[in-house]
């Protein structure tokens, strides 16, 4: 499945008006909800509390590696670290898809798997997360999540 917002190089200087115009021309407008924290899927009850970011999804290829990033609606500023080795793992006709890849921390010191739920609206994102609740909770517990478990002696 093809990545959303595939943006060919404009040949313009990064951040220049021509570069931004090229990004806006090819990007996909969407809402993005990261489904994992440090590689572990979070349960729906935690995801519903986290912000869903609206912006432009831009996919680019550099040295054979696809990266998908989320920019603000004007195409100026990156809102989320890009997903390296990005791929589409699920796509629905209603414009909903799940992207997966590798996310780096802010210092580019550590990396982990990340999945983005991409939808047309924030409301759609929350609805899909609600439907995914049992699956997300199971993955969360498998990943060592403690929410809802007895904590014992701390």
């Amino acid at each position: 499945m093809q990545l959303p917002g595939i943006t060919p190089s404009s040949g313009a200087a990064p951040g220049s008006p021509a570069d931004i115009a090229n990004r806006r021309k090819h990007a996909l407008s969407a809402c993005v909800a990261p489904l994992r924290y440090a590689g572990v899927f979070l349960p729906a009850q935690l995801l519903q509390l986290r912000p869903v970011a609206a912006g432009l999804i831009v996919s680019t290829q550099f040295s054979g590696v696809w990266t998908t990033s989320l920019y603000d609606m004007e195409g100026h500023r990156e809102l989320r670290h890009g997903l390296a080795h990005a791929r589409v793992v699920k796509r629905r006709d209603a414009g909903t898809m799940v992207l997966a890849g590798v996310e780096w921390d802010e210092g580019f010191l550590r990396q982990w798997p990340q999945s983005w739920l991409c939808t047309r609206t924030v409301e759609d994102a929350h609805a899909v997360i609600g439907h995914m609740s049992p699956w997300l909770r199971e993955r969360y517990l498998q990943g060592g999540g403690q929410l809802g478990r007895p904590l014992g002696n701390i």
Side-chain angles (χ1 to χ4, degrees), residues 6 10 18-19 22 24 27 38 42 57-58 81 89 96 100-101 105-107 109 117 131 139-140 146-147 149 154:
I6 292 178
S10 65
D19 179 55
N22 184 57
R24 291 182 70 184
L42 293 178
I57 295 177
V58 175
H81 283 296
V89 293
T96 298
D105 67 7
E106 287 81 10
L109 301 170
L117 172 64
H131 290 297
R139 298 312 174 284
Y140 173 72
Q146 299 299 310
L147 185 67
R149 290 185 179 178
I154 297 179

Side-chain angles (χ1 to χ4, degrees), residues 4-28:
I6 292 178
T7 305
S9 173
S10 65
S16 68
D19 179 55
I20 293 168
N22 184 57
R23 188 178 301 141
R24 291 182 70 184
K25 176 182 176 185
H26 296 282
L28 173 71

Side-chain angles (χ1 to χ4, degrees), residues 128-148:
V128 171
I129 288 168
H131 290 297
M132 293 175 65
S133 183
W135 186 89
L136 288 165
R137 178 151 181 78
E138 183 179 329
R139 298 312 174 284
Y140 173 72
L141 295 173
Q142 289 172 356
Q146 299 299 310
L147 185 67

Side-chain angles (χ1 to χ4, degrees), residues 3-134:
L3 285 167
I6 292 178
T7 305
S9 173
S10 65
S16 68
D19 179 55
I20 293 168
N22 184 57
R23 188 178 301 141
R24 291 182 70 184
K25 176 182 176 185
H26 296 282
L28 173 71
S29 178
C31 293
V32 173
L35 298 176
R36 300 179 189 229
Y37 178 79
V40 177
F41 282 101
L42 293 178
Q45 66 193 90
L46 289 180
L47 290 172
Q48 298 287 9
L49 300 174
R50 299 169 67 93
V52 175
L56 301 175
I57 295 177
V58 175
S59 297
T60 55
Q61 188 178 34
F62 182 73
S63 296
V65 176
W66 282 100
T67 300
T68 299
S69 301
L70 181 67
Y71 285 84
D72 65 20
M73 293 303 266
E74 289 77 39
H76 294 277
R77 181 173 64 89
E78 196 174 50
L79 299 177
R80 293 221 37 95
H81 283 296
L83 290 177
H85 303 283
R87 65 195 185 285
V88 177
V89 293
K90 188 167 278 218
R91 185 186 304 263
R92 297 282 185 236
D93 291 335
T96 298
M97 69 185 85
V98 176
L99 304 179
V102 176
E103 182 178 64
W104 288 86
D105 67 7
E106 287 81 10
F108 293 92
L109 301 170
R110 289 176 288 159
Q111 63 181 4
W112 47 78
Q114 180 56 276
S115 300
W116 288 358
L117 172 64
C118 306
T119 62
R120 294 178 196 259
T121 67
V122 172
E123 294 79 17
D124 288 350
H126 288 295
V128 171
I129 288 168
H131 290 297
M132 293 175 65
S133 183

